Amino acid sequence: MSTTIIEPAAPAGTRRLLLSVPELSSHAGHFGPIPVISDGAAVLDAVTAAGLLGRGGAGFPAARKLAAVAAGRRAVVVANGAEGEPASSKDAVLLARAPHLVLDGLGIAADVVGARECHFYAPAAALDGIRRALDERRACGYDRRSVRLTASPESFLSGEKTAVINRIAGLPAVPGDQLVSTSQSGLRGRPTLVHNVETLAHLALITRYGPRWFRTAGTPDEPGTMLVTLSGTAATGVVEVPLGIPLLDLLTRHGRTDPRTVRAILVGGYHGTWIPAAALHRAALSTAALRPLHATPGAGVIRVLPRTECGLHASADILTYLAAQSARRCGPCRHGLPTLATTFTPLAHGHPADPREIARLATLVDGRGACAHPDATARLIRSTLDVFAHDVTRHLHGHCEVTDTTPGARS
Ligand code: SF4
């Protein structure tokens, strides 16, 4: 994925605080000293008033997570920078450009929940920068907090909350059973707060500037800005935009792409949903605006499928990848997803296939795993069959709109 930063195209509603300053001297000059938290409840109130939603994909209210962990004893906090999603690079960019903002947020979260044990979990390449940033902070006395670093493996599910806790505990980074919330019993049975690194950066900003400032961007229900990874556009990379931005604006102003060249966009990454080009005019980057299209912003991944590419081919590639990414612990991942992939792929290549059987298999895996991997994969396939229904019909008759040839000849 591109780790380029796209400069916001217009000042209205945009700000670039998240990706602003990598060095500690400029960070401290820009943001001042790390806030001293003498009243964790006041910070919780501020985060509640700000309405910060987690930026790791699930969009859970950050204040509720903080409060749940703060209610326990001997809490642990984890900054989660594992970015298993192949179409996302916003966490990598954030950690490279603003490591101190994330570390500020980690320290603030630890103070709010009363945690003495802090962890940073991210790919090894990103941890090199975090290690340097921690050394810098200690050397000048900016922050002497000790943070334990754990490298996340390169796998799609390595950033799932229970996979994160498993890896830090020395186990494979695969999702575990969630009979009890990790807010109550996570790492070594202790209340554990796992926050995405972007969520922590927002927490650092809210603590400094307050909830009213945070709410100057975004929508009343989904305030603030969000880092978005754009791909398939003329300008690819990461951009900080206000939540609620119309997707057409995102594509044209920031992605510098003519919407007439777009076949569809995948919102939310590989676990996301296709939106056809014809629906773009009524879509915006918010849960509320995307709900009628059965999509969510997820972790801010927007992949554009140009008119020159086939949606069934793109989906088959993603499905094959996802089917290979499970820990194969649960039935839907051991049997269901591989069968779904081998049943769907012939359709993408113009070979005989049964779309009703594909839909049936997607229903069978739904809700049957220990984590949401099968459900989200099934959602992607349902969205594919829906948005590219016209292409399904053409493929079944041996044609593909993109090549206007017999697609079977290409495979
Ligand atoms: S549903 Fe799949 S990915 Fe999730 S825990 Fe079970 S085997 Fe692993």
Side-chain angles (χ1 to χ4, degrees), residues 142-175:
Y142 183 83
D143 179 15
R144 297 191 190 281
R145 194 181 305 269
S146 158
V147 178
R148 301 181 202 176
L149 309 184
T150 303
S152 58
E154 276 186 34
S155 68
F156 187 77
L157 294 166
S158 64
E160 196 272 345
K161 186 174 50 175
T162 54
V164 172
I165 291 171
N166 279 340
R167 186 71 199 98
I168 293 173
L171 301 170
V174 294

Side-chain angles (χ1 to χ4, degrees), residues 227-252:
L227 293 178
V228 167
T229 311
L230 280 175
S231 62
T233 37
T236 63
V238 175
V239 63
E240 182 179 358
V241 293
L243 275 161
I245 183 174
L247 290 190
L248 275 178
D249 273 11
L250 195 53
L251 295 194
T252 55

Side-chain angles (χ1 to χ4, degrees), residues 93-129:
V93 167
L94 175 65
L95 294 181
R97 292 296 297 236
H100 293 291
L101 204 54
V102 177
L103 287 169
D104 286 357
L106 179 63
I108 291 164
D111 287 345
V112 169
V113 303
R116 292 210 175 148
E117 186 175 329
C118 296
H119 293 263
F120 211 111
Y121 176 79
L127 287 185
D128 289 343

Side-chain angles (χ1 to χ4, degrees), residues 157 160 162 174-177 322 325-334 337 365 368-375:
L157 294 166
E160 196 272 345
T162 54
V174 294
D177 295 324
L322 291 176
Q325 286 295 310
S326 84
R328 299 184 181 275
R329 286 175 57 223
C330 313
C333 283
R334 266 204 314 274
L337 295 187
V365 299
R368 301 259 171 88
C371 78
H373 181 52
D375 314 23

Side-chain angles (χ1 to χ4, degrees), residues 1 30 40 63 68 96 121-122 131-132 170 173 181 193 233 263 321 337 342 345 363 371 385:
M1 259 317 296
H30 196 86
Y121 176 79
R131 197 174 287 112
R132 277 195 300 277
S181 163
L193 178 77
T233 37
R263 177 178 298 278
Y321 170 84
L337 295 187
T342 53
T345 301
T363 304
C371 78
L385 295 177

Side-chain angles (χ1 to χ4, degrees), residues 193-271:
L193 178 77
V194 181
H195 262 333
N196 170 260
V197 289
E198 185 189 340
T199 310
L200 291 171
H202 286 293
L203 176 62
L205 293 171
I206 291 166
T207 306
R208 285 183 165 98
Y209 302 133
R212 285 180 67 180
W213 166 84
F214 186 71
R215 285 183 170 278
T216 56
T219 74
D221 290 336
E222 296 168 69
T225 59
M226 181 180 215
L227 293 178
V228 167
T229 311
L230 280 175
S231 62
T233 37
T236 63
V238 175
V239 63
E240 182 179 358
V241 293
L243 275 161
I245 183 174
L247 290 190
L248 275 178
D249 273 11
L250 195 53
L251 295 194
T252 55
R253 289 167 52 211
H254 300 287
R256 288 158 211 152
T257 293
D258 182 344
R260 290 171 300 185
T261 66
V262 173
R263 177 178 298 278
I265 64 167
L266 182 62
V267 180
Y270 281 21
H271 271 174

